[in-house]
Amino acid sequence: MSPERCAAVLKEIDADIIALQEVESRPGHELDALTLLATETRSRAIAGVTMVNAETHYGNALLTRLPVGEVRRHDLSVSGREPRGALNVAFDLEGLSLQVIATHLGLRPAERREQVRRLLRLLDTGNRDIVVLVGDLNEWFLWGRPLRALHRVFPDAPHKRSWPARAPLFALDRVWVHPRQALRKLAVHRSPLARVASDHLPLTAEIELL
């Protein structure tokens, strides 16, 4: 996967907040992919590292042009499985409070059920004007058991097929927004470059700051 090609796709989308999964970075190294993506999109990079191998960091990340408040990192790892995590970022936008949680859930249903239970405790719908949960949830079934509790918090959440990129069949990637009326549009970015930059097509959302 080419960081330069991914950066070109992100520039096509031109979003204020971008959630990324499976990002490799090498802090202080000239081949640091996360720094390249942040530079090309003129954004601040927030890393959510889940694995460290020698010089390479790996995990989730958030790119944003918006003023960032509190940043918290949560371990969602389940014993015996690949380490997983969630980035929990607060934004204060001229008096409007926005919470964005970016994550990448595990491959097994039981693993995802436990991770969703932990995520539910992080969703601050009582104190935030808008709460967004975004990422690759790895759930093949729209109403799969691991996600049923999330449907109660995010009712009527739309979905779009984004994987595999060349001929999307499954809605593995999701953007969940509370309150529902804040989500104005959900779409899949289907440019020729996006089809070859990753095995997932980018999912885009337009969110109205109510």
Side-chain angles (χ1 to χ4, degrees):
M1 200 176 299
S2 163
E4 291 80 7
R5 190 178 292 167
C6 291
V9 173
L10 297 182
K11 290 168 73 173
E12 289 178 347
I13 296 171
D14 193 31
D16 291 320
I17 300 176
I18 300 168
L20 303 168
Q21 297 84 44
E22 299 182 343
V23 180
E24 286 189 357
S25 61
R26 299 183 181 185
H29 195 283
E30 63 180 356
L31 298 179
D32 185 349
L34 184 55
T35 297
L36 182 147
L37 294 174
T39 300
E40 290 296 313
T41 58
R42 299 180 181 179
S43 301
R44 170 181 171 179
I46 304 172
V49 177
T50 57
M51 291 190 290
V52 177
N53 298 316
E55 297 180 351
T56 303
H57 293 182
Y58 180 87
N60 306 309
L62 208 68
L63 303 176
T64 183
R65 301 169 185 160
L66 302 179
V68 175
E70 184 180 13
V71 176
R72 289 180 287 173
R73 297 168 176 85
H74 306 276
D75 186 5
L76 301 182
S77 302
V78 173
S79 178
R81 304 298 298 162
E82 179 181 325
R84 303 284 180 174
L87 266 175
N88 184 357
V89 182
F91 299 85
D92 188 356
L93 308 176
E94 298 182 355
L96 184 142
S97 178
L98 170 66
Q99 178 189 31
V100 177
I101 297 179
T103 191
H104 185 186
L105 301 189
L107 297 176
R108 293 186 176 179
E111 182 183 6
R112 292 194 296 275
R113 286 195 294 272
E114 172 59 27
Q115 290 163 343
V116 166
R117 282 193 288 268
R118 298 183 199 177
L119 284 172
L120 288 170
R121 295 195 290 266
L122 305 179
L123 300 171
D124 195 9
T125 55
N127 297 304
R128 303 290 183 180
D129 295 305
I130 298 176
V131 173
V132 179
L133 174 63
V134 59
D136 179 356
L137 301 191
N138 261 324
E139 179 54 60
W140 299 69
F141 302 103
L142 297 179
W143 285 88
R145 184 180 171 191
L147 302 188
R148 290 177 190 172
L150 288 176
H151 281 286
R152 291 194 288 271
V153 178
F154 302 99
D156 302 317
H159 62 273
K160 297 289 183 180
R161 298 176 181 179
S162 59
W163 185 91
R166 292 186 179 274
L169 295 174
F170 299 100
L172 301 186
D173 306 289
R174 305 290 184 91
V175 179
W176 308 66
V177 180
H178 177 92
R180 171 65 180 84
Q181 63 266 30
L183 178 61
R184 306 301 297 173
K185 181 180 179 181
L186 186 71
V188 176
H189 185 71
R190 300 178 180 272
S191 74
L193 187 57
R195 292 183 183 275
V196 297
S198 170
D199 60 335
H200 292 245
L201 288 174
L203 198 61
T204 65
E206 293 181 10
I207 297 174
E208 182 177 2
L209 303 181
L210 300 173

